[in-house]
Amino acid sequence: MPIPSVAIVGRPNVGKSSLLNAMARRRVSIVEPTAGVTRDRVSFFIKWQDHEFEVVDTGGMGLVDEVMLKQHVHSQIEVAMDQADMILFVFDAKEGLGPLDELVADKVRKLEKPVILCANKVESNRDELEAADAWRLGLGEPHQISAKEGYGVSDLMDLIVESMPRWPIDEEKEEMGLKMTIVGKRNSGKSTLVNLLSGAERCIVSEIAGTTRDAVDVRFERDGKVWTAIDTAGLRKKTRVQDAIEFFSLARSERSIRRADVVLLMFDMTEEISQVDKKLAAFVVQNYKPCILLGNKLDLAEDAGKDPAQWEAYLREQLPGLAFAPISFISALEDINVEATLGLVEDLHKQSGFETTTADLNKVLQKAKQMHAPRDKGARPKLFYATQVDKNPPTLLVFVNDPKYFTGQYDRYLQNQLRHSFPWKEVPIRLVYRRREKVDLPPESRD
């Protein structure tokens, strides 16, 4: 039995995204007073009173989009309603019912599914009167809420769990399994890959660059394992972030990288590496995330006579900070090498989660110091011992006489020695240097 799904539907700008955020108690969907901000199905798994259910935000019905995505948006709404176990039909109580609300009501009635009618933006006596008018839709009592103020949202979630089959929270799956974030500049094929992995059209795929604005979480299972693929907005130069929607899309992409277990940094192999690509790579490095450099559109690159080996050398030259990251070539459209890439994702996650002993760690570091001791004019840099304090990423606390002697080139040297000695060959290693006076090695670190 799948986790129950609740689809939030309504005409544009009635507060559907605000309602999802209020239920999730976090900013999941972009909220901006512009009709048509939400385009994909944006979902979040809610835990409420020992129940779990998925809430899916959808685009506005009747949207006439300035970039001709109306058909795509409506397709996403139809899929969400078809797959949902319950519908939350939201209308704006401040404006009252209009023709587009009637259109939504007609579609909802034909579904023959449980419907909860939500009168949003109820913040005055006049709003309450407008909300009561919705009885005439024949969809039951209009439940009065204000998603912005939080009024009535808890009661609404109580009503949802009372009306649905019980689905207890599975603590083992609470983290949505292995989370991989797919980032890249616009139109590199991120949404196509997510749709392929999920086996459903969860993200709008269009030739128009910048279609995805929200970061979209898609949970799926492969070979009995739970995964979450996080599709993000395509990024462009900050100087071209022209409005609030672009700003929030950028912020979500960065947050999605921080959330990830593994990042897929995707490139269109038919295009040159850009400053946006380099900034994304730098953000991945800054957050110590395992990363696969993913060359997409392999089929088009080969047709254009581009050699993967030459492109790999070019990529390595452009992104020296990710020299340890593996490269994979795929075609998301043709499903070429995607399964092998998922295996690589699992391998990186395993590498990042490896823990070594203090004794083995210090054998490697002491040998590295003997081979190449740190140097500084007029000073004697000393490396005493280290211990692993965390994983994902592997984090090592290194005791030295002065941390300033162990930055830059020598830090990279130690990381490379550790990669050669432990199963961290393709993942970032975080070395945290701590100042100490002369200390003895702990007993477990000695031969």
Side-chain angles (χ1 to χ4, degrees):
M1 176 181 176
I3 295 177
S5 175
V6 180
I8 305 176
V9 302
R11 65 173 176 81
N13 214 27
V14 295
K16 299 183 296 298
S17 296
S18 294
L19 178 56
L20 173 59
N21 291 341
M23 295 173 73
R25 297 183 179 179
R26 60 184 291 186
R27 189 184 290 272
V28 179
S29 281
I30 295 173
V31 177
E32 213 275 340
T34 302
V37 170
T38 301
R39 293 171 172 177
D40 297 311
R41 284 175 285 147
V42 180
S43 64
F44 191 81
F45 288 86
I46 303 288
K47 286 120 178 130
W48 185 257
Q49 294 187 0
D50 297 326
H51 289 68
E52 183 177 18
F53 54 92
E54 181 185 24
V55 180
V56 183
D57 184 18
T58 64
M61 285 193 191
L63 169 68
V64 179
D65 198 282
E66 75 281 6
V67 289
M68 307 302 291
L69 287 170
K70 177 178 178 181
Q71 181 178 354
H72 294 286
V73 174
H74 282 195
S75 174
Q76 291 291 299
I77 297 170
E78 295 290 345
V79 172
M81 292 194 303
D82 181 64
Q83 295 181 351
D85 299 287
M86 176 177 288
I87 305 295
L88 297 186
F89 172 15
V90 182
F91 70 95
D92 186 338
K94 287 192 181 300
E95 295 187 4
L97 296 174
L100 286 180
D101 297 303
E102 299 281 359
L103 170 68
V104 178
D106 289 341
K107 288 184 174 293
V108 167
R109 290 191 198 96
K110 296 175 183 178
L111 294 175
E112 298 182 352
K113 293 183 178 182
V115 178
I116 297 178
L117 185 59
C118 298
N120 191 26
K121 307 184 184 181
V122 176
E123 293 150 8
S124 68
N125 291 334
R126 182 181 178 279
D127 299 337
E128 292 179 5
L129 292 175
E130 290 290 349
D133 182 52
W135 276 100
R136 64 183 175 85
L137 294 176
L139 295 171
E141 178 184 357
H143 293 272
Q144 300 179 12
I145 65 170
S146 171
K148 181 179 178 181
E149 302 296 333
Y151 164 70
V153 175
S154 295
D155 292 338
L156 174 62
M157 292 199 288
D158 286 341
L159 182 60
I160 290 172
V161 298
E162 289 171 5
S163 308
M164 276 195 163
R166 178 177 174 82
W167 187 264
I169 297 173
D170 186 344
E171 298 295 340
E172 293 184 359
K173 293 185 179 181
E174 187 171 350
E175 294 300 320
M176 308 303 177
L178 198 160
K179 300 185 291 297
M180 59 179 182
T181 291
I182 306 169
V183 296
K185 66 183 180 184
R186 290 184 164 207
N187 215 26
S188 58
K190 300 182 298 297
S191 296
T192 301
L193 178 59
V194 171
N195 290 339
L196 173 66
L197 295 175
S198 65
E201 190 176 342
R202 287 299 303 267
C203 302
I204 295 172
V205 178
S206 169
E207 293 301 319
I208 303 168
T211 301
T212 300
R213 285 173 169 173
D214 284 296
V216 182
D217 286 20
V218 178
R219 186 163 75 171
F220 60 97
E221 291 192 16
R222 295 176 77 91
D223 300 326
K225 298 178 182 178
V226 177
W227 297 64
T228 296
I230 306 171
D231 184 24
T232 60
L235 299 187
R236 54 183 178 177
K237 291 183 180 179
K238 283 191 176 182
T239 54
R240 296 181 181 175
V241 178
Q242 299 174 342
D243 53 34
I245 296 170
E246 292 287 353
F247 173 79
F248 286 122
S249 293
L250 175 63
R252 274 163 176 69
S253 295
E254 293 181 347
R255 188 181 71 181
S256 296
I257 289 174
R258 290 193 292 268
R259 290 176 54 208
D261 295 316
V262 177
V263 175
L264 303 185
L265 180 50
M266 181 177 281
F267 307 88
D268 181 342
M269 292 179 63
T270 65
E271 297 186 1
E272 301 296 317
I273 303 301
S274 69
Q275 289 300 314
V276 171
D277 294 317
K278 293 179 180 179
K279 288 181 179 180
L280 278 170
F283 196 77
V284 170
V285 172
Q286 177 185 337
N287 285 271
Y288 296 95
K289 291 297 180 180
C291 178
I292 297 174
L293 303 176
L294 197 61
N296 189 29
K297 305 187 182 181
L298 177 62
D299 50 327
L300 298 180
E302 290 178 340
D303 291 343
K306 292 197 173 183
D307 179 56
Q310 292 178 346
W311 193 85
E312 179 175 351
Y314 164 67
L315 186 62
R316 292 296 188 198
E317 179 185 352
Q318 295 295 313
L319 304 177
L322 286 170
F324 56 85
I327 296 177
S328 183
F329 299 103
I330 69 165
S331 169
L333 185 63
E334 301 293 335
D335 193 8
I336 297 173
N337 204 37
V338 172
E339 194 67 36
T341 301
L342 288 182
L344 184 56
V345 170
E346 290 185 302
D347 186 53
L348 289 192
H349 187 49
K350 183 179 179 181
Q351 288 185 40
S352 188
F354 176 80
E355 294 182 89
T356 187
T357 66
T358 300
D360 289 343
L361 176 61
N362 282 282
K363 287 178 184 177
V364 171
L365 289 179
Q366 293 303 320
K367 182 178 179 180
K369 184 177 70 171
Q370 292 171 5
M371 292 172 57
H372 177 46
R375 296 179 181 180
D376 189 84
K377 293 182 179 179
R380 296 182 60 189
K382 297 180 181 179
L383 189 159
F384 297 123
Y385 74 95
T387 185
Q388 184 173 355
V389 295
D390 206 353
K391 57 183 181 178
N392 298 311
T395 303
L396 312 181
L397 185 60
V398 185
F399 293 97
V400 298
N401 65 333
D402 194 332
K404 71 180 181 182
Y405 302 138
F406 295 86
T407 58
Q409 184 176 354
Y410 198 77
D411 178 75
R412 291 190 290 273
Y413 163 72
L414 290 180
Q415 289 187 43
N416 288 333
Q417 293 301 310
L418 291 165
R419 285 197 181 91
H420 288 311
S421 303
F422 299 107
W424 296 324
K425 290 180 173 55
E426 299 169 304
V427 297
I429 301 171
R430 186 182 182 191
L431 299 181
V432 180
Y433 297 97
R434 181 75 55 83
R435 180 192 297 271
R436 280 287 177 89
E437 298 302 327
K438 184 177 180 180
V439 295
D440 293 327
L441 289 177
E444 64 271 20
S445 300
R446 300 171 185 166
D447 291 335

